[in-house]
């Protein structure tokens, strides 16, 4: 039987490699296509100022999507990212009067705790990550509601706002923070043993286990890392809105998953790139921004976003590697 | 009568059946016997049109018999019961029996449960089942579950029922139940052919024996005229391939490296006592599931032990995780290449260094060291790949297996655990793998190998141990050189 597969494989090897190339470059192509389209229809789109706005709008999404890339590549999912962002934003807002700039610490700390809880329940409690994070998504959001009673918690601390909403060399600090976080995450993903172990677990958990990888431990750390980055995203989000509200980042998890998948990382795990996720985030951000710039009916925008997601996955998914699609 | 003439079947380049002719009569039980890969299952699957035949002819009562798929074979009266369990336990018993015919039980678009249960019950009664079609399926043991599959075959109203190793996963009592069902079917005039590795079953219920070897027919004898010894000889009866296995040294004389004292594994295998010296290859033979794999898993830290002690270099050794086995310099080559051995989407380089995972500056992956390890293993094992960055999924079975072995060797082990090291590997790659293993042993590695491949067991091992039903059945000492018949006898 092996021989049959082998013959089939070599016959299509050439086709496959060209197809792989197309898949790899698809996010870049889509990004360029979107930019070209919007530039032609709106003269305000292709300006330095709008570019900075797009980056600023995508900073939160970028940090959270980079976090999600680790989770998805390890073969799991985290639906609680939006709620963790909201809870961390609340921590930052509530403690900003006392802590000022250092409100970053409770924000990230809350994120770590949330990730730790998710990771423990998933990895050691052996509950599927989809279920665990579906539950904690509601719980974390509930905690925000319980604390705020629906009223926004405003941020007025001057130092806090100066740092997190200010600019350095003309670039928003939030964007710089997001870029630094992404670079660090990329190093972890591509160059550390931990990064390899994450990919190995997503590629074949049994293989990873028998190769001596502490699968449970690595899975836990993946969720802690995801929580920490979402905590940072929460801080950036609170600074952008200058307040924490109960509805903050509601539904963010869907944009995050969409960005990761559009960037070419399949939900099946094992393969993926931080670079791809960056592109995916830009595609989603530019799509939103461009539609507003060109005056697309706001009531139509969600439909278009959904279509782009489905078409992108339809074109990039490598069906030969996935026998059952569910 | 169902007659097969000159049936051949090839899968890709490998020839599974070579011009086999055989007759099957009604009201007769035929046993197909032969080693793994002899073509027994393939013959049954070709005749029941699960696989299309490559060439040859078949007739049913003199008329041409050319079903294009299993459904057509069933319509002409030939049904197959698979080796694996094919009962869906989220459905009821009656639904499982009538699985292929549920559409016939529609009334106003809904299922007519009354009629379905009555018909299923009639079939169950016919084979003397001691449970009812309306019982809870979760209460049935494997033997009764298998009975459901027989009933499903009978729902097609067959004249011939083929059983492909249907007792492989059954315990003794469950297998006995299936045997009595077969007798019942024979009494009702149905022709039976079955594949079994259990000699006592073969002699207990068959009327005739068909012996296959390497895809070809050896012959056809009435069971009454056959003895167990003669049959084992006919099955095995091959000359040893001189060049395949490297020359053994004498007894290694090395110190005892690994020792098991009264070990009982979590899956209930044991008690096992064994000692392997540095420089020695211990081969463990036995039927699938007879215990060897569980012993390896315990040593590899992938399975806990319930009793006894394992010693490594004379010190207590109790790994709780495969990582602990690896840091004790024990490497494990698992039995399922693509499910346990390699990640097919990953490159050769990444797979070869998956267990070693070299580190620099505390956390960073050491690319240079990875490349060095991979290049070394590619050269030592002669892995044929476009390059270290090529995907493992594109390699042939033999080369993929070499990658799994290379992954073990990259950890610089002192003990090597091998589970069927050459399963599904072509003969050339086999010889190379044997050469490497023997070389490692003579360099002082202790090797424990579990294998279902008899020539491999006898040709490569310095000592042979045979397991049967979770127990050690026999240990052949140094220099005893058992022959295949002797080993097979202890397996059964």
């Amino acid at each position: 039987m092996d021989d049959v597969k082998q013959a089939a494989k070599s016959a299509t090897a050439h086709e496959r490699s060209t197809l792989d190339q197309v898949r790899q470059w698809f996010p870049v192509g889509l990004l360029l296509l979107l930019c070209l389209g919007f530039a032609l229809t709106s003269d305000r789109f292709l300006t330095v100022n709008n570019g900075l706005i797009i980056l600023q709008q995508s900073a939160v999404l970028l940090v959270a999507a980079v976090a999600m890339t680790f989770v998805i590549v390890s073969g799991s999912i985290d639906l609680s990212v939006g709620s963790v962002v909201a809870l961390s934003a609340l921590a930052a807002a509530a403690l900003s009067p006392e802590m000022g700039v250092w409100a970053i610490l409770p924000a990230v700390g809350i994120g770590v705790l949330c990730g730790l809880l998710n990771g423990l329940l998933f990895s050691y409690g052996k509950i599927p990550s989809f279920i665990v994070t579906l539950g904690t998504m509601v719980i974390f959001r509930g905690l925000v509601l319980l604390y705020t009673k629906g009223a926004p918690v405003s941020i007025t601390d001057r130092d806090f706002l100066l740092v997190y909403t200010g600019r350095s060399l003309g670039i928003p600090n939030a964007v710089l923070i997001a870029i630094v976080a992404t670079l660090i995450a990329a190093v972890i993903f591509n160059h550390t043993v931990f990064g390899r172990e994450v990919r190995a677990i997503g590629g074949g958990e049994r293989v990873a286990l028998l190769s001596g990888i502490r699968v449970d431990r690595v899975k836990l750390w993946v969720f802690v890392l995801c929580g920490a980055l979402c905590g940072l995203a929460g801080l950036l989000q609170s600074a952008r809105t200058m307040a924490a509200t109960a509805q903050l980042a509601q539904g963010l998890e869907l944009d995050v998953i969409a960005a990761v998948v559009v960037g070419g990382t399949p939900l099946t795990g094992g393969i993926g790139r931080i670079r791809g996720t960056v592109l995916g985030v830009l595609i989603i951000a530019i799509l939103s921004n461009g539609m507003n710039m060109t005056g697309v009916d706001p009531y139509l925008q969600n439909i278009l976003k959904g279509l782009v997601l489905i078409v992108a996955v339809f074109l990039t998914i490598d069906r030969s590697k996935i026998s059952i699609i569910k | 009568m169902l007659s097969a003439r000159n049936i051949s079947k090839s899968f890709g380049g490998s020839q599974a059946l070579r011009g086999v002719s055989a007759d099957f009569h009604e009201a007769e039980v035929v046993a197909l016997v032969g080693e793994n890969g002899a073509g027994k299952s393939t013959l049954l699957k070709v005749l029941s049109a699960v696989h299309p035949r490559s060439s040859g002819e078949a007739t049913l009562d003199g008329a041409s018999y050319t079903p294009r798929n299993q459904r057509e074979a069933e319509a002409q009266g030939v049904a197959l019961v698979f080796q694996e369990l094919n009962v869906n336990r989220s459905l009821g018993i009656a639904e499982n029996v009538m699985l292929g015919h549920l559409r016939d039980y529609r009334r106003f678009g809904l299922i007519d449960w009354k009629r379905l249960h009555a018909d299923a019950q009639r079939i169950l009664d016919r084979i003397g089942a001691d449970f009812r079609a309306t019982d809870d399926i979760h209460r049935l043991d494997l033997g009764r579950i298998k009975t459901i599959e027989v009933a499903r075959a009978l729902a097609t109203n067959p004249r011939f029922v083929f059983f492909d190793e249907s007792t492989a996963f059954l315990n003794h009592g469950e297998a006995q139940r299936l045997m009595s069902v077969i007798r019942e079917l024979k009494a009702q005039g149905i022709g039976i052919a079955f594949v079994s590795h259990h000699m006592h079953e073969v002699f207990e219920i068959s009327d005739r024996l068909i012996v296959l070897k390497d895809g070809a027919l050896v012959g056809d004898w009435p069971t009454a005229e056959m003895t167990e010894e003669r049959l084992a000889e006919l099955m095995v009866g091959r000359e040893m391939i001189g060049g395949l296995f490297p020359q053994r040294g004498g007894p290694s004389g090395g110190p005892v490296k690994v020792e098991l004292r009264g070990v009982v594994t979590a899956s209930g295998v044991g008690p096992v006592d064994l000692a392997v010296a540095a420089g020695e290859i211990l081969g463990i033979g036995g039927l699938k599931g007879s215990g060897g794999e569980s012993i390896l898993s315990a040593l590899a830290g992938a399975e806990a032990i319930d009793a006894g002690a394992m010693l490594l270099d004379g010190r207590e050794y109790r790994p709780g995780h495969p990582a602990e086995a690896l840091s004790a310099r024990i490497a494990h080559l698992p039995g399922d290449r693509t499910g346990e051995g390699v990640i097919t989407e990953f490159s050769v380089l990444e797979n070869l260094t998956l267990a070693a995972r070299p580190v620099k500056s505390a956390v960073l992956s050491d690319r240079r060291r990875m490349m060095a390890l991979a290049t070394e293993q590619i050269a030592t094992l002669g892995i044929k790949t476009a390059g270290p960055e090529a995907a493992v999924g594109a390699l042939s079975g033999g080369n993929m297996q070499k990658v799994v072995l290379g992954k073990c060797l990259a950890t610089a082990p002192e003990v090597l655990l091998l589970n069927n090291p050459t399963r599904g590997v072509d003969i050339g790659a086999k010889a190379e793998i044997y050469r490497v293993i023997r070389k490692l042993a003579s360099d002082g590695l202790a090797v424990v190998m579990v294998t279902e491949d008899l020539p491999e067991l006898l040709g490569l091992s310095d000592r042979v141990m045979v397991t049967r039903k979770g127990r050690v059945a026999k240990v052949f000492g140094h220099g005893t050189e058992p022959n295949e018949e002797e080993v097979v006898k202890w397996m059964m």
Side-chain angles (χ1 to χ4, degrees):
Chain A
M1 293 291 254
D2 268 2
D3 299 330
V4 183
K5 287 184 206 150
Q6 200 51 42
K9 240 178 239 160
S10 57
T12 56
H14 181 68
E15 273 169 60
R16 282 273 289 285
S17 68
T18 17
L19 213 61
D20 278 348
Q21 291 283 316
V22 173
R23 286 198 189 98
Q24 224 176 38
W25 290 103
F26 175 79
V28 182
L30 182 61
L31 191 63
L32 292 177
L33 198 71
L34 282 176
C35 288
L36 191 70
F38 288 133
L40 289 176
T41 42
S42 162
D43 49 5
R44 286 179 305 146
F45 178 78
L46 213 61
T47 59
V48 174
N49 202 32
N50 192 43
L52 289 176
I53 289 173
I54 289 171
L55 288 179
Q56 203 160 11
Q57 282 170 341
S58 50
V60 171
L61 183 62
L62 177 63
V63 176
V66 164
M68 184 69 94
T69 307
F70 280 85
V71 177
I72 288 178
V73 167
S74 80
S76 314
I77 194 85
D78 186 349
L79 299 177
S80 71
V81 289
S83 298
V84 176
V85 166
L87 197 58
S88 302
L90 176 62
L95 292 168
S96 64
E98 290 90 38
M99 302 184 74
V101 174
W102 297 106
I104 187 173
L105 296 177
V108 174
I110 285 282
V112 167
L113 286 179
C114 292
L116 196 64
L117 181 68
N118 281 336
L120 284 173
L121 288 172
F122 164 52
S123 190
Y124 292 94
K126 309 281 180 207
I127 309 169
S129 59
F130 188 98
I131 306 296
V132 167
T133 57
L134 185 65
T136 55
M137 169 176 88
V138 182
I139 294 171
F140 297 154
R141 180 68 62 184
L143 288 174
V144 178
L145 274 167
L146 191 68
Y147 185 88
T148 59
K149 303 276 191 292
V153 178
S154 304
I155 300 175
T156 49
D157 187 81
R158 261 195 75 236
D159 291 347
F160 183 95
L161 293 176
L162 204 64
V163 170
Y164 296 119
T165 62
R167 295 184 175 216
S168 305
L169 305 168
I171 300 169
N173 288 344
V175 172
L176 292 173
I177 292 171
I179 289 174
V180 170
T182 303
L183 288 176
I184 293 173
V187 169
I188 295 176
F189 189 86
N190 295 317
H191 297 289
T192 65
V193 173
F194 172 76
R196 285 194 68 201
E197 291 176 342
V198 170
R199 283 182 292 129
I201 290 170
E205 196 167 322
R206 179 105 186 118
V207 180
L209 178 78
L210 291 177
S211 300
I213 293 173
R214 302 269 185 180
V215 172
D216 289 344
R217 208 179 285 173
V218 173
K219 280 176 170 175
L220 175 65
W221 281 110
V222 164
F223 274 85
V224 170
L225 177 67
C226 177
L229 284 170
C230 287
L232 183 65
L235 175 94
L236 299 180
Q237 181 67 56
S238 73
R240 221 170 95 72
T241 42
M242 293 198 274
T245 66
Q247 281 76 41
L248 202 70
Q250 195 139 34
L252 180 71
E253 56 279 349
L254 299 182
D255 272 350
V256 167
I257 295 170
V260 174
V261 172
V262 169
T265 298
L267 286 177
T268 39
I271 12 187
R273 283 206 174 84
I274 299 288
R275 203 192 324 156
T277 297
V278 173
L279 289 174
V281 166
L282 288 176
I283 287 169
I284 298 231
I286 284 174
L287 191 62
S288 297
N289 173 278
M291 286 194 296
N292 286 328
M293 284 284 161
T294 51
V296 174
D297 182 351
Y299 298 111
L300 196 65
Q301 291 192 3
N302 275 339
I303 297 171
L304 290 176
K305 265 163 86 173
L307 283 175
V308 168
L309 172 68
I310 292 173
V311 170
V313 174
F314 176 77
L315 291 174
T316 49
I317 195 171
D318 185 352
R319 288 168 187 81
S320 65
K321 283 181 185 156
I322 308 164
S323 51
I324 298 169
I325 312 248
K326 45 171 144 186
Chain B
M1 184 175 78
L2 177 64
S3 299
R5 288 289 165 266
N6 278 317
I7 301 276
S8 290
K9 173 71 195 171
S10 55
F11 295 106
S14 69
Q15 192 86 13
L17 284 178
R18 305 160 197 271
V20 173
S21 300
D23 293 332
F24 301 91
H25 304 274
E26 268 125 330
E28 183 194 39
V29 179
V30 177
L32 293 173
V33 288
E35 285 187 293
N36 283 335
K40 308 166 304 251
S41 297
T42 311
L43 179 60
L44 292 187
K45 284 182 179 164
V46 165
L47 287 177
S48 47
V50 173
H51 296 318
R53 55 188 181 238
S54 304
S55 66
E57 278 153 35
T59 55
L60 190 60
D61 297 332
S64 171
Y65 170 71
T66 51
R68 281 168 302 175
N69 54 46
Q70 210 188 340
R71 252 198 133 74
E72 289 189 6
E74 284 173 358
Q76 297 191 51
V78 179
L80 176 75
V81 178
F82 286 88
Q83 173 178 12
E84 311 83 31
L85 285 174
N86 282 305
V87 167
N88 185 336
R89 287 183 216 212
S90 42
L91 300 178
I93 293 173
E95 288 162 281
N96 267 299
V97 170
M98 294 296 178
L99 202 55
H101 311 269
L102 285 178
R103 296 193 149 262
D104 303 339
Y105 289 89
R106 282 180 300 182
R107 199 178 50 174
F108 314 125
L110 303 175
I111 290 181
D112 182 352
W113 291 103
K114 217 166 157 187
R115 199 154 61 82
L116 179 73
H117 283 138
D119 284 2
Q121 188 60 50
R122 204 163 16 241
I123 296 173
L124 289 173
D125 288 343
R126 203 177 142 191
I127 50 177
D130 60 353
F131 55 90
R132 304 201 49 83
T134 47
D135 284 355
D136 181 0
I137 198 164
H138 301 282
R139 299 239 178 90
L140 302 186
D141 62 17
L142 286 182
R144 291 182 172 86
I145 294 276
K146 204 77 208 178
T147 311
I148 294 179
E149 285 186 51
V150 181
R152 183 189 296 159
L154 287 181
T156 63
N157 236 335
R159 294 165 57 202
F160 293 93
V161 178
F162 295 157
F163 293 83
D164 182 15
E165 275 190 70
S166 298
T167 59
F169 297 119
L170 305 185
N171 66 31
H172 184 72
E174 292 164 347
Q176 282 305 314
R177 165 173 308 281
L178 195 62
M179 293 297 117
S180 65
V181 169
I182 289 178
R183 279 196 204 93
E184 186 58 41
L185 294 181
K186 180 188 163 189
Q188 293 171 17
I190 293 176
I192 310 282
F194 76 99
V195 171
S196 173
H197 282 294
H198 297 286
M199 283 294 164
H200 61 91
E201 290 175 4
V202 168
F203 281 93
E204 193 183 321
I205 62 162
S206 73
D207 302 310
R208 196 155 54 89
L209 296 168
I210 291 176
V211 183
L212 293 172
K213 191 168 68 96
D214 300 329
L217 181 72
V218 175
D220 180 329
W221 292 269
T223 310
E225 295 172 15
M226 182 64 70
T227 62
E228 281 199 35
E229 290 70 30
R230 170 110 176 87
L231 183 58
E233 224 174 80
L234 282 169
M235 276 166 61
V236 167
R238 85 162 78 62
E239 292 164 48
M240 274 294 175
I241 308 159
L244 188 54
F245 299 101
Q247 198 68 38
R248 287 191 189 86
S252 77
V256 170
K257 185 76 192 167
V258 184
E259 200 177 341
L260 264 62
R261 288 185 187 160
V263 166
V264 179
T265 68
S267 53
V269 170
V272 180
D273 291 278
L274 65 82
V276 189
E280 183 185 39
I281 302 175
L282 172 72
I284 304 180
L287 297 174
K288 191 172 177 58
S290 66
E293 296 188 349
S294 175
I295 298 170
L296 280 198
S297 294
L299 277 167
E303 185 177 336
I305 60 173
D306 286 347
M310 300 196 281
L311 284 88
L312 181 66
D313 294 320
R315 279 188 301 277
E316 169 103 33
Y317 162 74
R318 208 179 183 111
H321 191 279
E324 288 169 35
L326 275 170
S327 45
R329 299 239 164 279
I330 295 184
H332 174 210
L333 180 138
D336 175 2
R337 190 150 57 230
T338 49
E340 300 180 321
V342 291
I343 297 174
T344 45
E345 294 95 347
F346 281 19
S347 66
V348 170
L349 172 79
E350 287 208 282
N351 273 293
L352 281 171
T353 54
L354 201 55
R357 298 196 298 287
V359 190
K360 64 176 180 192
S361 321
V363 290
L364 294 184
S365 204
D366 189 343
R367 290 287 298 184
R368 190 178 301 170
R369 181 106 188 80
M370 276 170 71
M371 189 55 97
L373 280 173
T375 320
E376 185 191 336
Q377 293 308 329
I378 289 172
T380 322
L381 294 164
I383 298 171
K384 288 180 197 73
T385 167
E389 304 287 353
V392 151
L395 301 185
S396 71
N399 280 298
M400 215 187 272
Q401 187 69 2
K402 287 179 181 175
V403 171
V404 187
L405 184 58
K407 184 182 82 171
C408 294
L409 301 185
T411 64
E414 289 168 10
V415 178
L416 187 58
L417 310 172
L418 304 169
N419 183 347
N420 288 290
T422 65
R423 178 145 55 197
V425 166
D426 63 90
I427 192 122
K430 254 186 188 181
E432 287 174 71
I433 290 174
Y434 293 148
R435 182 180 52 76
V436 171
I437 295 172
R438 175 51 70 188
K439 169 83 170 46
L440 291 165
S442 52
D443 291 347
L445 227 76
V447 181
V448 184
M449 170 179 73
V450 169
T451 179
E452 287 161 31
D453 183 330
L454 265 182
E456 175 171 296
L457 179 71
L458 299 175
L460 191 60
S461 316
D462 292 315
R463 263 186 320 133
V464 171
M465 182 171 124
V466 180
T467 53
R468 181 178 56 204
K469 294 184 176 159
R471 301 259 186 285
V472 177
K474 174 76 179 168
V475 181
F476 295 94
H478 253 298
T480 47
E481 302 247 340
N483 60 32
E484 295 199 12
E485 286 95 300
E486 269 179 279
V487 172
V488 168
K489 210 172 71 195
W490 285 102
M491 288 178 180
M492 301 292 181

